[in-house]
Amino acid sequence: MGRGTLRIYLGAAPGVGKTYAMLAEAHRRVERGTDCVVALVEHHDRLRTEVMLHNLEQIPRSEIDHRSAVFTEMDVDAVLERAPAVALVDELAHTNVPGSRNAKRWQDVEELLKAGIDVISTVNIQHLESLGDVVESITGVRQQETVPDEVVRRADQIELVDMSPQALRRRMAHGNIYQPDKLDAALSNYFRPGNLTALRELALLWTADRVDEYLQQYRGEHDIRTTWQARERIVVGLTGGPEGRTLIRRASRMAAKGSGSEILAVYIARSDGLTSASPKELAVQRTLVEDVGGTFHHVIGDDIPAALLEFARGVNATQIVLGSSRRKTWQYIYGPGVGATVARESGPDLDVHIVTHEEVAKGRGLPIARGARLGRARIVGGWLVGVVGSVLLALLLLSLENGPGLANDVLLFLFLTVGAALLGGLRPALASAAVGTLLLNYWFTPPTHTLTVQDPENFVAIVIFFAVAVAVSSVVDLAARRTHQAARLRAESEILSFLAGSVLRGETALDALLERVRETFAMESVALLERASDVDPWTCAGFVGPAPVARPDDADVDMPVGDNMALALSGRVLPAEDRRVLGAFAAQAAVVLDRQRLVSEADRARTLAEGNRIRTALLAAVSHDLRTPLAGIKAAVSSLRSDDVAWSPEDEAELLEGIEDGADRLDHLVGNLLDMSRLQTGTVTPLIREIDLDEVVPMALGGVPEGSVDLDIPETLPMVAVDPGLLERVVANVVENAVKYSAGGEPIAVAASALGERVELRVVDRGRGVPDEAKERIFEPFQRYGDAPRGAGVGLGLAVSRGFAEAMGGTLDAEDTPGGGLTMVLTLSAAPGREQAQDRAVLPAEATS
């Protein structure tokens, strides 16, 4: 008898429909005549799941006594005796009750599979052993019941049961998953939108990896050796030219045709840092790449095709998108171009797409080089052509019986001299002219093998050769120098244009400017240093790169900006011609720093203006909200002091009660006003200590009517690091606000839970709620939502509460209550160094089973 097959329905969270999908599959198989039984299914009192059990044969469970209680588990012996074709076994990661046949349910399933029974089971992604730490970091809960990954990976079929977090929360809010008494706890803890989104992504990625394993297994079984590029990574090669936008959009259309495709745009700059690329155009293209969901990369490399291919292979790319060359026809004498070279050397695993555009063959300008210096390779090549090439040419001509003649010999040597000038500059060309003159004189001018010249015509020819060689070398070298200088000036002008444009645009990002300096000059780090006077120490106003210098004297390059500011660069020494551009950068950095400080001063001015606005509102509040209780107190006192009326004891008690209520309202209003003034002036200094929530929260409920609050603070909660006095004020204000707006006098719920290193206190009311656009506005001073009565307060309670919460390192936010209402969420930091119990978070039963 062969081994049975295992089919698993994998879900991201409880309630997505794994058990329902399993039962639906069972009904389909029964309709096809398959012998299918229910070995064990947990419906968790979900009506729709329970209905799916109808018309399916169920194997009775075995009963096990444990600690004076009776539990039920799957009866493995009964299932083996029944020997169905297919058995349904729910919750693969379940831990059996002690005394069962096996410790884990997946071990029971292994027995059924060995007996040749096909099994259909379910499991949630959080129960996989390898994901325990990840799930704990997301949800704050360590899963106690897990299943080895290998057990799930060995399944013959894995089907993902997917559902969006919003749909799952709506299903829960409608009561389709948990009972109403568990609903709020589940939605506010484990089933948060963020938690569900992260768990869903884990499930999708794990399933995708499993699909890749299936693909590799299939390729191995069928001996398939060629590359199957299941996931596309498209590299777009940018030059900084206007065609870049066309290439990015083309790559975006290519990526849209394949699921999961990535776009990586790369700009390769030469190591000298100065290029012909337009900084403005590159910035536009960077933004465009990010808009289409790709990433932008800046790479340094002198060999553009090699650097591009190295980058593509490094990121495991499958395609490269390049633009048709902007060279004119005659410019191809310098080489085949980047596109042709990349296509030739890409190999079989990299597809190269050459995209046409409007700038084709319109010219691309001359290459940029730093100053008039040539690379070492070109200089060596010039010497080889001028000196070694002349010697080899002489040997070649000597080997010929009938040489081409002295005139042609002179022309050939002159050709090598011009080639040496083009490659290595003036010095190799002069050396080539000198060597060529000596060789012509010694070997080819009668009398040979001597340095004398017998025929005057030959002497004139040699002299003219040397003069022409020197002249041509000088002209060629001068032209090359002028070309390089023009290219450099073009690059400098573009950089200066970029700086001028940044001034006009009002850009104030100092770090971005310093990063531009680092990239332009290929430096390791750049720092802007300043000091108050000549005798004060230097301070760093901003830097990029590792290990910035602390003084200009320690830098490889320093550029003063005025008397007390300098731009310090580390990495290499710059030539003198680069300091002009560096000076422009330094001046711009000083301007940006000044602008940042002006912005900061403007922010402080706005803060002062906001303070003036609050003081104006305070005066308005004092003039009205404080006057109302004062007027009531004054009227009651005047009535009691009046001799014209004989007040009964009941009337006197009522007037005294009014005085007391007015005094309490005044005390509350004045307290909030004082607290807000402390927050505005920054004089709130919390005294943080470790304390239990159940020591503070009950004390904060003294100001609300009895029976208006349902309190649920588990004793297993960790201690919190707070200021008890500030925490009491926060809770009191939030609870009083919730009681005030709760519908029909329905009690509000105050519940606490632990999530990782955080502790949350949730105040839930069933009032009319607050729309999303107003949730932040209710925390502003002197704001009251809706039609709150004017005498209800000055609108400072929530503003003070949030200020105190943030002063203690916590947060206070507003959320919608499922079913209607508003939930205020106070998040606090758990006390450090205290181990939290694993079951402190309020979780639904299935999430921990």
Side-chain angles (χ1 to χ4, degrees):
M1 179 180 296
R3 178 183 173 87
T5 61
L6 175 61
R7 177 172 183 169
I8 294 179
Y9 286 93
L10 177 68
V16 295
K18 305 179 303 299
T19 305
Y20 189 93
M22 179 179 65
L23 293 172
E25 176 64 21
H27 279 285
R28 286 192 293 271
R29 297 198 181 198
V30 169
E31 291 174 359
R32 295 196 300 264
T34 304
D35 182 16
C36 185
V37 301
V38 176
L40 186 142
V41 167
E42 299 286 359
H43 56 74
H44 297 290
D45 297 326
R46 298 169 187 167
L47 181 60
R48 296 184 178 181
T49 305
E50 190 173 1
V51 169
M52 291 295 291
L53 287 169
H54 295 171
N55 301 324
L56 292 177
E57 180 184 349
Q58 301 186 47
I59 303 296
R61 303 185 184 188
S62 62
E63 295 184 352
I64 301 174
D65 294 327
H66 179 66
R67 294 183 179 179
S68 302
V70 178
F71 299 89
T72 61
E73 295 289 357
M74 181 175 67
D75 193 337
V76 180
D77 291 328
V79 178
L80 292 174
E81 183 179 356
R82 171 65 175 76
V86 180
L88 308 184
V89 182
D90 205 4
E91 297 182 0
L92 186 64
H94 173 74
T95 300
N96 292 330
V97 176
S100 301
R101 182 188 185 99
N102 296 300
K104 302 288 290 187
R105 186 166 292 168
W106 64 264
Q107 296 171 327
D108 297 337
V109 169
E110 281 294 316
E111 289 197 35
L112 300 183
L113 294 173
K114 290 179 181 179
I117 300 174
D118 294 343
V119 177
I120 304 177
S121 187
T122 64
V123 71
N124 284 329
I125 192 67
Q126 66 264 29
H127 294 299
L128 296 181
E129 181 67 39
S130 65
L131 299 179
D133 295 336
V134 179
V135 173
E136 183 180 11
S137 66
I138 294 171
T139 64
V141 180
R142 183 72 182 188
Q143 297 295 330
Q144 299 301 306
E145 295 188 327
T146 59
V147 58
D149 287 46
E150 185 59 28
V151 173
V152 182
R153 289 184 182 275
R154 284 201 308 263
D156 299 274
Q157 296 182 58
I158 298 177
E159 183 172 336
L160 179 65
V161 183
D162 190 26
M163 178 177 289
S164 69
Q166 295 77 12
L168 180 57
R169 285 173 60 86
R170 284 196 300 269
R171 176 183 287 185
M172 296 186 65
H174 294 158
N176 295 334
I177 300 178
Y178 297 115
Q179 300 299 321
D181 58 336
K182 299 180 180 179
L183 183 59
D184 288 339
L187 287 174
S188 61
N189 290 279
Y190 195 84
F191 289 87
R192 295 163 169 265
N195 289 358
L196 296 177
T197 301
L199 292 174
R200 186 188 188 196
E201 183 176 10
L202 278 179
L204 291 170
L205 292 175
W206 194 92
T207 307
D209 290 341
R210 181 64 177 134
V211 171
D212 187 62
E213 291 178 10
Y214 280 133
L215 178 61
Q216 296 302 326
Q217 180 181 353
Y218 177 85
R219 286 164 51 81
E221 292 174 352
H222 293 76
D223 196 24
I224 299 174
R225 301 301 181 187
T226 58
T227 302
W228 286 8
Q229 300 171 349
R231 185 174 185 178
E232 298 290 349
R233 286 187 175 89
I234 304 173
V235 170
V236 184
L238 301 178
T239 65
E243 78 281 359
R245 305 184 200 182
T246 302
L247 303 184
I248 294 170
R249 294 189 181 97
R250 178 59 177 147
S252 177
R253 293 195 298 271
M254 294 168 59
K257 297 179 181 179
S259 177
S261 299
E262 298 180 31
I263 299 176
L264 302 94
V266 57
Y267 170 70
I268 300 175
R270 298 187 184 276
S271 59
D272 57 19
L274 294 176
T275 70
S276 60
S278 168
K280 181 179 179 181
E281 183 63 30
L282 276 180
V284 172
Q285 292 174 15
R286 179 194 292 266
T287 303
L288 180 58
V289 169
E290 294 171 351
D291 289 342
V292 300
T295 56
F296 185 91
H297 304 267
H298 194 123
V299 176
I300 302 297
D302 289 325
D303 189 343
I304 304 299
L308 180 60
L309 288 171
E310 182 181 359
F311 175 83
R313 295 189 176 105
V315 299
N316 196 28
T318 58
Q319 301 182 56
I320 298 178
V321 176
L322 299 173
S324 297
S325 178
R326 287 184 283 130
R327 290 181 173 186
K328 295 182 180 296
T329 303
W330 64 269
Q331 290 179 312
Y332 280 96
I333 62 175
Y334 297 114
V338 174
T341 305
V342 170
R344 184 180 66 247
E345 300 178 0
S346 61
D349 295 331
L350 265 175
D351 297 334
V352 179
H353 302 266
I354 306 297
V355 179
T356 59
H357 50 85
E358 297 179 352
E359 303 297 323
V360 174
K362 291 186 178 180
R364 52 172 300 167
L366 296 173
I368 302 301
R370 167 174 278 171
R373 296 191 307 273
L374 300 172
R376 177 178 299 178
R378 291 189 59 180
I379 294 176
V380 172
W383 282 100
L384 290 176
V385 170
V387 179
V388 179
S390 296
V391 175
L392 294 177
L393 177 61
L395 294 176
L396 176 63
L397 295 175
L398 289 173
S399 65
L400 300 177
E401 293 184 1
N402 297 318
L406 182 60
N408 292 325
D409 293 343
V410 170
L411 291 176
L412 290 175
F413 279 99
L414 182 60
F415 175 77
L416 290 180
T417 302
V418 173
L422 290 173
L423 283 175
L426 182 60
R427 291 182 180 180
L430 292 177
S432 177
V435 172
T437 300
L438 292 175
L439 291 174
L440 285 170
N441 188 1
Y442 190 82
W443 292 104
F444 301 99
T445 305
T448 59
H449 303 92
T450 66
L451 296 178
T452 60
V453 180
Q454 184 176 1
D455 190 345
E457 293 182 359
N458 293 337
F459 178 79
V460 173
I462 292 176
V463 171
I464 292 175
F465 161 76
F466 184 78
V468 170
V470 172
V472 170
S473 301
S474 301
V475 171
V476 171
D477 182 71
L478 181 61
R481 289 174 180 272
R482 293 292 183 264
T483 300
H484 295 323
Q485 291 172 2
R488 176 182 177 81
L489 291 174
R490 175 185 173 188
E492 290 183 1
S493 65
E494 288 178 348
I495 292 174
L496 296 175
S497 175
F498 163 77
L499 293 176
S502 64
V503 173
L504 296 176
R505 292 189 297 269
E507 296 178 356
T508 58
L510 180 61
D511 291 344
L513 180 63
L514 297 181
E515 180 64 28
R516 174 72 181 179
V517 175
R518 191 170 74 91
E519 290 182 356
T520 299
F521 297 99
M523 288 294 184
E524 294 180 359
S525 65
V526 179
L528 182 63
L529 307 177
E530 63 174 348
R531 58 183 178 180
S533 64
D534 294 341
V535 297
D536 290 324
W538 290 94
T539 60
C540 183
F543 71 92
V544 294
V549 298
R551 299 183 310 162
D553 296 339
D554 299 332
D556 294 319
V557 181
D558 70 285
M559 175 57 66
V561 187
D563 296 331
N564 299 313
M565 185 176 294
L567 192 63
L569 294 79
S570 299
R572 63 190 180 91
V573 178
L574 291 180
E577 59 265 25
D578 285 341
R579 295 184 66 86
R580 178 172 53 183
V581 177
L582 183 60
F585 272 114
Q588 176 64 6
V591 172
V592 169
L593 181 61
D594 290 341
R595 185 181 292 116
Q596 284 185 346
R597 290 173 174 171
L598 289 175
V599 170
S600 299
E601 292 179 2
D603 291 339
R604 287 193 293 269
R606 280 193 293 270
T607 302
L608 293 175
E610 178 66 16
N612 290 332
R613 187 189 67 81
I614 292 177
R615 282 189 288 272
T616 302
L618 175 61
L619 291 175
V622 170
S623 65
H624 185 282
D625 295 284
L626 297 182
R627 183 180 298 174
T628 300
L630 281 174
I633 294 173
K634 174 65 176 177
V637 171
S638 298
S639 299
L640 288 174
R641 290 175 55 87
S642 175
D643 297 331
D644 300 336
V645 181
W647 301 102
S648 64
E650 293 79 7
D651 294 335
E652 290 183 357
E654 183 177 354
L655 291 173
L656 291 174
E657 183 180 359
I659 294 173
E660 185 177 10
D661 290 342
D664 290 339
R665 287 180 58 190
L666 278 178
D667 179 69
H668 181 73
L669 292 174
V670 172
N672 277 337
L673 291 172
L674 292 176
D675 290 338
M676 180 52 62
S677 66
R678 292 168 59 198
L679 289 171
Q680 291 294 327
T681 56
T683 57
V684 176
T685 305
L687 302 176
I688 304 297
R689 66 183 181 89
E690 298 180 3
I691 193 170
D692 287 318
L693 276 181
D694 55 8
E695 297 181 23
V696 179
V697 175
M699 299 174 57
L701 306 181
V704 297
E706 186 175 355
S708 60
V709 177
D710 291 335
L711 189 60
D712 180 17
I713 300 181
E715 296 181 356
T716 56
L717 280 178
M719 300 180 74
V720 292
V722 297
D723 184 315
L726 296 183
L727 177 60
E728 182 179 347
R729 293 297 305 276
V730 172
V731 176
N733 281 344
V734 173
V735 170
E736 289 177 8
N737 187 77
V739 171
K740 182 190 307 179
Y741 290 99
S742 185
E746 183 177 353
I748 66 170
V750 178
S753 60
L755 292 172
E757 299 179 354
R758 309 184 308 274
V759 175
E760 287 190 351
L761 185 70
R762 307 178 74 86
V763 180
V764 183
D765 69 61
R766 296 291 180 180
R768 55 200 174 98
V770 176
D772 292 340
E773 62 272 11
K775 281 188 173 63
E776 285 300 314
R777 196 165 61 248
I778 61 176
F779 291 102
E780 296 178 4
F782 306 105
Q783 297 290 326
R784 290 179 295 186
Y785 176 69
D787 56 353
R790 184 63 184 172
V794 293
L796 288 176
L798 293 181
V800 170
S801 298
R802 171 172 277 190
F804 283 173
E806 293 176 349
M808 294 185 293
T811 60
L812 180 63
D813 300 293
E815 296 180 357
D816 290 329
T817 301
L822 187 68
T823 298
M824 305 298 294
V825 184
L826 174 62
T827 304
L828 304 170
S829 299
R834 303 183 67 90
E835 185 176 356
Q836 301 180 22
Q838 298 295 341
D839 58 347
R840 284 174 180 164
V842 182
L843 293 177
E846 188 180 342
T848 58
S849 62

